Amino acid sequence: MIKTVFFDFDGTLADTAQDLVQAANKQRIRAGLLSLPFESLRGYASQGSPGLLKAALNLSTEDANYPSIKEQFLADYFDCMTDKTVLFEGIAELLDTLELQQISWGIVTNKAENLSFPIFDYLGLTHRSIANICGDTAARPKPYPDPLLLAAQKAQVSPHECIYVGDDERDIIAGKAAGMKTIAVGYGYGPDLKTISQWNADKVVTSPCELWDTINTLR
């Protein structure tokens, strides 16, 4: 029986791409380059600093100036991270439904705590969520199962009583490794549905509006 549903954050619960892309484009402007179109960077929003800076500047984590540019990127993102971030359409209703059905829910993200909690607060999620696990909360981030196991521990449920929902392959790898059922979402920042189907999640959805019925099939 499923007692708890855990969600990835960026690209799953919240549409954070516009603010992340704005911060990435600021690094291009600082380098004397033109901003890139939103759609050319949107798909990297779930990949954090490494993915966005690679796409925006062709900057590798091995480059000598990566740490300083990453630091500036994160500072710029901190300044704008609630400008345009919203819950995906249908997510607010889903969370209400879970609570009405006495199914607890929580958040497990690779985003750092100092960047996550201000957004959780802004969206009114912090105190509703049974567990808020970030990229630097557990010993190791996803794709390791550590953050999901910690979330289950905080929720006082067995991992086998949980579902994990995410838009990145790391989410599905981590969820399966933790012993949870998994749902991959195709409306987030991940690749096309053909690629997503190769992750071998238990279910795949293309819209937040499909999540409640899909969760029910796994209960």
Side-chain angles (χ1 to χ4, degrees), residues 37-63:
F38 170 71
E39 287 301 329
S40 69
L41 293 177
R42 179 186 183 276
Y44 300 92
S46 281
Q47 298 180 22
S49 304
L52 280 162
L53 293 178
K54 178 68 174 177
L57 295 170
N58 196 28
L59 185 71
S60 166
T61 56
E62 305 301 319
D63 290 340

Side-chain angles (χ1 to χ4, degrees), residues 41-104:
L41 293 177
R42 179 186 183 276
Y44 300 92
S46 281
Q47 298 180 22
S49 304
L52 280 162
L53 293 178
K54 178 68 174 177
L57 295 170
N58 196 28
L59 185 71
S60 166
T61 56
E62 305 301 319
D63 290 340
N65 57 343
Y66 177 83
S68 62
I69 294 176
K70 175 186 175 181
E71 182 178 0
Q72 184 62 61
F73 164 73
L74 294 176
D76 288 335
Y77 178 57
F78 188 87
D79 289 339
C80 72
M81 63 186 178
T82 59
D83 284 0
K84 297 182 178 179
T85 286
V86 294
L87 295 177
F88 281 106
E89 185 175 356
I91 290 296
E93 293 81 2
L94 171 66
L95 299 181
D96 289 342
T97 299
L98 289 171
E99 291 171 359
L100 285 171
Q101 296 296 320
Q102 298 185 321
I103 299 173
S104 59

Side-chain angles (χ1 to χ4, degrees), residues 181-193:
K181 297 288 188 182
T182 56
I183 299 175
V185 305
Y187 59 81
Y189 308 138
D192 58 45
L193 288 174

Side-chain angles (χ1 to χ4, degrees), residues 149-217:
L149 294 174
L150 179 59
Q153 180 183 341
K154 286 184 175 291
Q156 298 183 328
V157 293
S158 164
H160 298 288
E161 298 172 316
C162 302
I163 296 172
Y164 188 49
V165 185
D167 73 316
D168 191 276
E169 187 174 15
R170 293 172 301 179
D171 300 325
I172 306 308
I173 293 171
K176 293 166 76 73
M180 298 183 182
K181 297 288 188 182
T182 56
I183 299 175
V185 305
Y187 59 81
Y189 308 138
D192 58 45
L193 288 174
K194 181 178 180 181
T195 301
I196 290 173
S197 69
Q198 297 171 3
W199 298 349
N200 295 317
D202 292 290
K203 298 288 182 179
V204 178
V205 300
T206 59
S207 164
C209 297
E210 299 173 26
L211 278 169
W212 172 241
D213 287 344
T214 305
I215 288 167
N216 267 327
T217 67

